[in-house]
Each structure stands twice: as structure tokens, then as C-alpha cells.
């Protein structure tokens, strides 16, 4: 397991304050909702809709923070603060990195949920 | 504890956040309801009672800032405390929330201990405000209470067109002397309850209670479409209720009570008088004096409801009245034509 993907202390606190069973449900919800947020980011990039782009990044950041997904949070926050790049190609590259980090976070969260 | 059953509305467009906040709120012993955006949150706030709103800022359709603005502008909603729960960037945004009336700001993910403390404090503040409001309503009409709570207390008045109703119990002093004090208070409480009910059901507000007498306003502090008609209808209802009350009294061998009612319509000066420390909402002016004189004159004229010519004209023939001619009242330069509301038309019930 990679400590740099999910901050164990944050995850443990979430589990301790809300219950293991509830956190398992919450992880499942995140796994269900995450692809939609990533798709929203891509769609907003295609449409050059800055508001949609910022809001989708904000939502991912917020959930990343909840689970202690450190890198995912940082990448999403960067998009939220920076907004749409003047060069779409740079955003597309960034989005691929974000999606890869999301996949890693989900894999870690699944392991933690089952562990 | 009352706090245990508090209802908390959670407005957040993100499902993970909604579920987590809902869980946190329920772990604290409160009940939660969910809204996916600002528009739905306002709809829920307007249709159901909530003790607290946990509000996200970044939301589609209507964001948290717009929700705060609408809550602030709506007298029905602004009593609901709002705690903003967001991970929005920038201190200026947090300041904006507080300026728009939010009680507090909690950064997401929300710390459970902080959430408990903030919810507790907000609910306690709301409880105290509700208590204060209930206390104010006990001593003034709900219209005056709303006015006071919205615009604060300021001495001063304005001209309004209103109908003023005076009533009192005939021969009350003799009645008091013939029975014990507890029985008198009991009688007065029942009597006032009936009179308040009749007056309130026609949009009037009891402004003053003077022992067995009372003064009610129709059209002040809030305007009323047909203040004269409402005042006369309330007077008739008062007589009808007294008649029923007398039936109950006669069943236990108690004497019947009779009331006299005087109603006048016209301009009054309405507002708060007194001192900055203690004031009262009232209406003053010729119309008020005339209503009091008419009420006193019911004893002389031997009828239950007397109205002035302005009230009679405003009725437009909808209620049968009988002219008793012009009567010179003390304090009035010219004699006033007065009318008796026809006894046969009282309260329309057998």
C-alpha cells in the first residue's frame, strides 16, 4: 500500500468518527460518483466552460480531502484555482494525470475498505 | 432535551458530502433532510420547519451565496440559523458568508467535535430567540411583534385609516362584588379568550385590555381591505359568543353577562408611544375617542352595538342598521349621527 496516495490518519479518523460500515458505503458512493465528476471536468474542458470546470474540480477536491487522498486533492485543487488553461493541450495532460491518481486512490480505498 | 429532536437541512450538490454530513448530524442526535442544490434547499425551507441549515457554497442552479441572500431577505426564513460548510478557496469568500448572515463557517471535511459545538451554539441561540419572540407575543399582538422584531422599536407614529372597537361588560363592578376574586379572574379570562377569538378571526388585533374592557384595531398596524365591515362582523361574533357563554352560565345558575360595543372608523395616529425603555403600540385621535364614547353610549341607547356614520357608510348597506339620530358627544365639535346594528342580524345563528 502506498501511504502517499491515502493519508491513513485522515482515513482512520473518518472511520472512527462515523463507523467502519458507514465509511465502506461512503467509499462505494465515491467510486460511483467519481467517474461522473471526471467526465464533467472533461466535458467542461471541451466546452471551455470555466464555471463548470472549476465546480467539478472543487467537488473532486472536496471528496479527495474527505478520504485523505492527498495527491488527488492537490491535483484537483490546482485545477480549481488555475481554471481553464489558455492551452487546452496542457489541461488534457493534467486531466490524464488526475484520472490516473483517481484510479490509484480508488484502488487504495477499496483495499482499506476491505481491510 | 429539545435539541435532540432538532431538524437540520443539509444543502450540498455532492453526494459524498451530503451522506457524510447527514451521518455526522444524526450521530449528534439530530434529524436530517437533504437538498441537492440551493433552489431545492429554499423550497424545503419554505415548506417545512427546520432548526438549522448546513449550507454548501459551490452548487449548481443557486449557489450558497444566493441562498444566504434570499434567506436574509425573507422574514419567514431569516430566523433559521445557517452554518456554511464548504471547502471554498479564499478568505474573502468566508467573510462574504458571514456578512450575508451565516452564523458560522466550517471547512470541509467538517471536524465532528467542531460541528457538535457549532450546531449546539446555533440551536441554543435560536431557542433563545424563539423564547424572546414568544414573550413579546404574549404582551403585544403578533403583528406588532413582527413589526418590532423586523424594524426594532422606534417611538413615532403615522396616519392610518382604521376602525376602532371598544367593548366592555355591563354592570361588571356589581358582578365583581357579588363573587370571589378567583371567580372574577376566571370569568375575565374566559371572556377575553372568546373576545380575542372573535376579533382575531376578522383580522383585528386587541390593542389594550382594561379590566373588563378592551380596545381592538382593524386596519392597524397592518392594512385591512374592509376594516369597518370586519370590525362590525367581529362585534356581531362577540355578541354571538357571549350568548353561547350565557347559556353555559345559566346552566350553573350564574347570571348572564351583557356587553356593549362601540365602533368608529377614520384616521388615527398609529405608532409607539412611551419612553425608549418602555413603550406601547397604540392608536390615538378623534376616531379612538369616538369609539370609546359610542361604547359608553350603548348603555344610554339600550343597544349592543353602536357605530358612527363613517362605519355605517363603509358598510354600504351590507349590514342592516338603524339611525338613532345625531348625538352631541363630549369632545366633538359637531353632533355625530350614530347607528345601531340591528339586533335581528346579530351573528346569524339560532
Amino acid at each position: 500500500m502506498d501511504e502517499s496516495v491515502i493519508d491513513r490518519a485522515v482515513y482512520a479518523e473518518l472511520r472512527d468518527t462515523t463507523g467502519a460500515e458507514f465509511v465502506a458505503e461512503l467509499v462505494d458512493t465515491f467510486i460511483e460518483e467519481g467517474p461522473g465528476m471526471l467526465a464533467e471536468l472533461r466535458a467542461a474542458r471541451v466546452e471551455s466552460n470555466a464555471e463548470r470546470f472549476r465546480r467539478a474540480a472543487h467537488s473532486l477536491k472536496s471528496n479527495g480531502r474527505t478520504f485523505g487522498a492527498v495527491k488527488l486533492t492537490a491535483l484537483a485543487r490546482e485545477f480549481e484555482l488555475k481554471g481553464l488553461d489558455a492551452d487546452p493541450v496542457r489541461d488534457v495532460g493534467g486531466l490524464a494525470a488526475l484520472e490516473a491518481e483517481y484510479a490509484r486512490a480508488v484502488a487504495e480505498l477499496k483495499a482499506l475498505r476491505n481491510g | 432535551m429539545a435539541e435532540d429532536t432538532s431538524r437540520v437541512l443539509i444543502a450540498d450538490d455532492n453526494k459524498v458530502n451530503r451522506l457524510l454530513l447527514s451521518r455526522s448530524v444524526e450521530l449528534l442526535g439530530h434529524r436530517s433532510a437533504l437538498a441537492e442544490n440551493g433552489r431545492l434547499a429554499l423550497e424545503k425551507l419554505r415548506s417545512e420547519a427546520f432548526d438549522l441549515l448546513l449550507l454548501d457554497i459551490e452548487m449548481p442552479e443557486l449557489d450558497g451565496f444566493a441562498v444566504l441572500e434570499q434567506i436574509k431577505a425573507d422574514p419567514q426564513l431569516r430566523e433559521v440559523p445557517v452554518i456554511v460548510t464548504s471547502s471554498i478557496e479564499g478568505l474573502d469568500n468566508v467573510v462574504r458568508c458571514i456578512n450575508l448572515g451565516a452564523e458560522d463557517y466550517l471547512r470541509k471535511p467538517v471536524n465532528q467535535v467542531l460541528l457538535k459545538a457549532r450546531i449546539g451554539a446555533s440551536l441554543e441561540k435560536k431557542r433563545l430567540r424563539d423564547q424572546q419572540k414568544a414573550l413579546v407575543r404574549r404582551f403585544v399582538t403578533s403583528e406588532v411583534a413582527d413589526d418590532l422584531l423586523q424594524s426594532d422599536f422606534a417611538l413615532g407614529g403615522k396616519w392610518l385609516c382604521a376602525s376602532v372597537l371598544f367593548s366592555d361588560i355591563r354592570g361588571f363592578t356589581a358582578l365583581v362584588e357579588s363573587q370571589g376574586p378567583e371567580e372574577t379572574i376566571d370569568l375575565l379570562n374566559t371572556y377575553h379568550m372568546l373576545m380575542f377569538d372573535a376579533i382575531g378571526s376578522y383580522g383585528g388585533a386587541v390593542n389594550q385590555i382594561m379590566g373588563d374592557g378592551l380596545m381592538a384595531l382593524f386596519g392597524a398596524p397592518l392594512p385591512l381591505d374592509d376594516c369597518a365591515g370586519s370590525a362590525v362582523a367581529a362585534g356581531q361574533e362577540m355578541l354571538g359568543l357571549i350568548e353561547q357563554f350565557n347559556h353555559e352560565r345559566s346552566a350553573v345558575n350564574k347570571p348572564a353577562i351583557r356587553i356593549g360595543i362601540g365602533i368608529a372608523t377614520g384616521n388615527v395616529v398609529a405608532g409607539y408611544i412611551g419612553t425608549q425603555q418602555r413603550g406601547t403600540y397604540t392608536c390615538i385621535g378623534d376616531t379612538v375617542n369616538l369609539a370609546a364614547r359610542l361604547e359608553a353610549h350603548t348603555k344610554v341607547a339600550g343597544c349592543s352595538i353602536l357605530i358612527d356614520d363613517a362605519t355605517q357608510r363603509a358598510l354600504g348597506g351590507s349590514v342592516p342598521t338603524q339611525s338613532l339620530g345625531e348625538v352631541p358627544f363630549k369632545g366633538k365639535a359637531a353632533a355625530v349621527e350614530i347607528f345601531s346594528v340591528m339586533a335581528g342580524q346579530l351573528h346569524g345563528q339560532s
Side-chain angles (χ1 to χ4, degrees):
Chain A
M1 282 194 189
D2 188 348
E3 279 275 353
S4 70
V5 178
I6 301 290
D7 183 330
R8 295 294 190 277
V10 174
Y11 186 85
E13 196 192 336
L14 178 67
R15 190 194 50 218
D16 294 347
T17 50
T18 62
E21 204 176 312
F22 174 78
V23 171
E25 276 173 42
L26 203 64
V27 166
D28 287 343
T29 305
F30 181 54
I31 293 169
E32 282 163 25
E33 299 284 307
M37 287 186 257
L38 291 167
E40 177 74 4
L41 264 176
R42 281 208 177 267
R45 175 62 268 182
V46 170
E47 278 181 20
S48 293
N49 186 330
E51 186 57 26
R52 258 179 90 184
F53 189 80
R54 195 183 53 75
R55 188 173 287 144
H58 172 84
S59 219
L60 256 177
K61 175 195 77 176
S62 174
N63 288 171
R65 216 174 245 165
T66 296
F67 292 107
V70 192
K71 273 190 195 165
L72 180 69
T73 304
L75 290 173
R77 182 168 185 261
E78 213 177 297
F79 272 135
E80 182 189 359
L81 290 175
K82 184 173 68 69
L84 288 172
D85 199 294
D87 179 5
V89 179
R90 271 206 294 267
D91 277 344
V92 172
L95 280 171
L98 183 73
E99 280 162 349
E101 187 55 32
Y102 171 77
R104 272 194 289 277
V106 163
E108 286 283 313
L109 285 171
K110 277 182 180 167
L112 284 167
R113 177 194 62 185
N114 300 331
Chain B
M1 279 167 70
E3 286 89 328
D4 288 346
T5 54
S6 295
R7 283 201 80 205
V8 180
L9 179 63
I10 295 162
D12 201 309
D13 64 323
N14 184 287
K15 194 173 175 187
V16 169
N17 287 338
R18 277 199 305 278
L19 291 178
L20 181 56
L21 280 169
S22 170
R23 173 76 174 168
S24 302
V25 159
E26 281 166 12
L27 284 171
L28 292 173
H30 308 297
R31 287 174 295 150
S32 68
L34 306 175
E36 289 172 31
N37 59 51
R39 183 183 55 77
L40 292 170
L42 283 171
E43 274 178 22
K44 273 209 156 70
L45 282 175
R46 290 191 171 112
S47 59
E48 298 167 44
F50 289 99
D51 299 298
L52 180 72
L53 168 65
L54 292 183
L55 178 69
D56 182 28
I57 291 299
E58 290 278 7
M59 288 187 289
E61 291 203 41
L62 204 65
D63 69 12
F65 294 128
V67 172
L68 283 169
E69 275 166 11
Q70 291 206 29
I71 287 176
K72 201 176 178 182
D74 187 333
Q76 300 297 319
L77 299 187
R78 64 169 159 232
E79 306 289 321
V80 181
V82 183
I83 297 176
V84 171
T85 52
S86 174
S87 44
I88 199 165
E89 300 288 339
L91 188 64
D92 51 339
N93 283 320
V94 180
V95 172
R96 195 175 158 199
C97 292
I98 303 296
N99 283 341
L100 283 170
E103 290 269 334
D104 225 320
Y105 178 92
L106 288 175
R107 192 162 182 267
K108 276 196 292 221
V110 175
N111 177 287
Q112 186 74 1
V113 178
L114 267 183
L115 182 70
K116 184 181 180 184
R118 298 283 157 81
I119 287 183
S122 292
L123 290 175
E124 178 63 10
K125 260 196 252 179
K126 182 174 187 287
R127 198 183 60 77
L128 286 173
R129 270 202 303 266
D130 288 349
Q131 217 173 38
Q132 189 186 25
K133 221 163 63 178
L135 193 67
V136 171
R137 279 183 212 288
R138 195 171 298 164
F139 294 102
V140 299
T141 69
S142 59
E143 292 86 354
V144 171
D146 285 341
D147 187 42
L148 278 173
L149 292 163
Q150 271 167 43
S151 55
D152 206 4
F153 172 69
L155 293 172
K158 56 182 173 187
W159 284 101
L160 285 175
C161 184
S163 292
V164 183
L165 179 154
F166 272 82
S167 84
D168 84 349
I169 301 179
R170 295 280 159 266
F172 189 67
T173 313
L175 194 65
V176 169
E177 283 163 7
S178 70
Q179 62 188 23
E182 276 175 22
E183 203 178 329
T184 299
I185 295 296
D186 200 37
L187 166 67
L188 274 182
N189 286 343
T190 309
Y191 162 73
H192 283 309
M193 193 184 72
L194 294 172
M195 299 303 98
F196 271 61
D197 186 50
I199 289 161
S201 63
Y202 286 96
V206 175
N207 177 242
Q208 285 182 46
I209 304 172
M210 301 142 283
D212 61 314
L214 59 82
M215 169 182 166
L217 302 170
F218 293 79
L222 296 179
L224 200 61
D225 275 348
D226 175 19
C227 57
S230 303
V232 171
Q236 291 176 309
E237 174 93 5
M238 287 161 79
L239 290 180
L241 289 174
I242 289 294
E243 198 172 292
Q244 285 176 23
F245 183 45
N246 281 336
H247 278 304
E248 290 168 24
R249 284 178 62 82
S250 73
V252 287
N253 293 320
K254 291 204 171 139
I257 60 168
R258 301 271 165 245
I259 62 168
I261 296 169
I263 299 168
T265 301
N267 287 331
V268 294
V269 177
Y272 298 98
I273 58 161
T275 68
Q276 284 298 342
Q277 285 70 38
R278 185 166 172 173
T280 182
Y281 181 88
T282 195
C283 286
I284 40 182
D286 254 9
T287 308
V288 182
N289 295 338
L290 182 56
R293 303 265 183 241
L294 285 165
E295 181 269 306
H297 197 71
T298 55
K299 285 174 250 183
V300 181
C303 47
S304 298
I305 306 180
L306 282 182
I307 61 177
D308 71 338
D309 48 354
T311 305
Q312 197 269 346
R313 277 198 307 277
L315 290 175
S318 60
V319 178
T321 55
Q322 185 187 4
S323 173
L324 300 184
E326 292 192 341
V327 176
F329 285 114
K330 201 174 156 190
K332 293 288 281 185
V336 180
E337 186 177 9
I338 64 168
F339 297 82
S340 164
V341 174
M342 300 291 278
Q345 289 298 314
L346 295 180
H347 50 84
Q349 54 194 6
S350 57

